[in-house]
Amino acid sequence: MTELPSPSSRPGDPPSRSARRLLLVHAHPDDESINNGATMARYAAEGAHVTLVTCTLGERGEVIPPELAHLSGAALGQHRMGELAEAMRALGVDDFRLLGGAGRYSDSGMTGLPDNDDPGCFWQADVDRAAGLLAEVIVEVRPQVLVTYDDGGGYGHPDHIQAHRVAMRAVELAARDGWDIPKVYWNRVPRSVAEAAFARLDDDLSGLPFDKAGEVGDVPGVVDDDLVTTEIDGTAHAAAKAAAMRAHATQITVAEPYAPYFALSNELAQPLFTTEYYELVRGTRAPGSREGDLFAGVGAETGAEGGAGEAP
């Protein structure tokens, strides 16, 4: 783990790039690369301290490559941890952790399956207890920005919903314990952007290694454009994001040679977004156009005490 950067010595100043601290909370290995890979690569390249907390090892994920089809349960979880490490190398991120340590919470499976009732799965976790573990990370790292899912988990997966609950509760607990995160974001995709990307996909499909295309409803976090407050241009880090996604080979197939498309185990092609979008739900922003920086308006010392307030 890299040493945490020190904040600016002048309260109220914006943090230097080396003093920026970003924390992302995700449910399974691969979620971070799909949702935030370009953002993570960009801030890591700029010298920010990027921390990823993953809540499960994804032991119940569906495996795509036939040569890895034998993997399941704990063996799949261990393999996916190796995939996560490779993805983090691609993104330039050194600080990545499992909530409560490897194996503390297991994958809950898809909605409605008996797996959801496993007492050791993340869906069954006590929210305050899990949030307390995450709050310890927050107080240690002192991020100015936290990124996670919306209250529906982006697309309704139990572990994504639980990750949202745990992350938002951890923000409250950490504020009580000494670090009040100034800005919290949820992952989003503007509907107009998703629709335009799928229109391009329809034109490009014949040249891709996929037989069918997905649809806008397959993309987590699609919302009306006016809910999106922030867009992070990660086009300079497109190759890093694609490499990170490709590292999660049990779960993702990225079009080769590189094209901005991928498929999950359903084999339905969907766009690979290199500009990534967010909704600010805690903190303040200047009125008008969308932010182009997750740290916009944040002072280096902000968060030590006092409330950040709610996004307008």
Side-chain angles (χ1 to χ4, degrees):
M1 189 189 312
T2 56
E3 183 179 351
L4 293 175
S6 299
S8 166
S9 61
R10 301 198 312 175
D13 281 357
S16 67
R17 289 186 173 188
S18 63
R20 292 176 164 192
R21 299 179 298 277
L22 168 63
L23 174 64
L24 304 100
V25 181
H26 276 289
H28 316 102
D30 82 348
D31 293 324
E32 80 298 322
S33 297
I34 295 170
N35 287 278
N36 312 115
T39 299
M40 295 172 72
R42 170 180 157 174
Y43 284 113
E46 290 179 355
H49 186 94
V50 179
T51 301
L52 170 68
V53 175
T54 306
C55 297
T56 82
L57 285 171
E59 300 93 335
R60 292 188 167 104
E62 297 179 352
V63 177
I64 296 173
E67 64 273 19
L68 297 176
H70 62 283
L71 293 171
S72 63
L76 177 57
Q78 285 301 113
H79 188 89
R80 293 189 69 178
M81 187 61 190
E83 291 181 337
L84 180 61
E86 184 178 346
M88 292 303 95
R89 284 192 291 271
L91 299 179
V93 173
D94 297 323
D95 187 2
F96 55 99
R97 315 169 184 212
L98 274 296
L99 182 64
R104 178 64 177 263
Y105 299 111
S106 65
D107 188 345
S108 306
M110 298 300 288
T111 303
L113 295 179
D115 298 332
N116 302 166
D117 299 324
D118 181 343
C121 78
F122 189 48
W123 181 242
Q124 294 295 329
D126 179 271
V127 170
D128 270 11
R129 186 170 298 133
L133 295 171
L134 181 58
E136 291 175 5
V137 178
I138 292 172
V139 173
E140 173 197 341
V141 174
R142 297 171 294 123
Q144 295 108 344
V145 175
L146 181 144
V147 171
T148 192
Y149 314 102
D150 63 25
D151 54 1
Y155 72 106
H157 190 294
D159 287 332
H160 289 237
I161 295 171
Q162 189 77 320
H164 161 86
R165 293 172 178 169
V166 167
M168 299 305 290
R169 178 59 175 149
V171 170
E172 297 174 350
L173 295 178
R176 183 195 65 188
D177 293 340
W179 188 259
D180 196 2
I181 301 176
K183 300 181 83 173
V184 175
Y185 291 92
W186 294 346
N187 295 305
R188 294 300 194 193
V189 178
R191 191 170 305 280
S192 66
V193 170
E195 290 173 348
F198 275 96
R200 291 191 297 272
L201 171 56
D202 287 340
D203 292 338
D204 295 342
L205 188 61
S206 62
L208 298 175
F210 312 116
D211 294 329
K212 296 181 180 180
E215 53 189 33
V216 170
D218 295 323
V219 177
V222 173
V223 292
D224 292 341
D225 290 30
D226 59 1
L227 284 178
V228 176
T229 62
T230 310
E231 60 181 85
I232 302 301
D233 183 356
T235 52
H237 304 281
K241 175 169 181 170
M245 290 175 62
R246 194 172 288 116
H248 292 288
T250 60
Q251 307 299 305
I252 305 173
T253 303
V254 179
E256 293 271 17
Y258 171 71
Y261 304 109
F262 72 100
L264 301 173
S265 59
N266 60 13
E267 300 182 347
L268 298 176
Q270 58 179 292
L272 190 161
F273 296 107
T274 55
T275 295
E276 294 168 344
Y277 300 87
Y278 302 91
E279 179 185 358
L280 178 67
V281 297
R282 191 173 193 269
T284 58
R285 68 182 181 101
S289 61
R290 290 176 183 163
E291 299 174 315
D293 180 5
L294 295 177
F295 295 88
V298 174
E301 297 290 343
T302 305
E305 58 183 53
E310 297 297 321

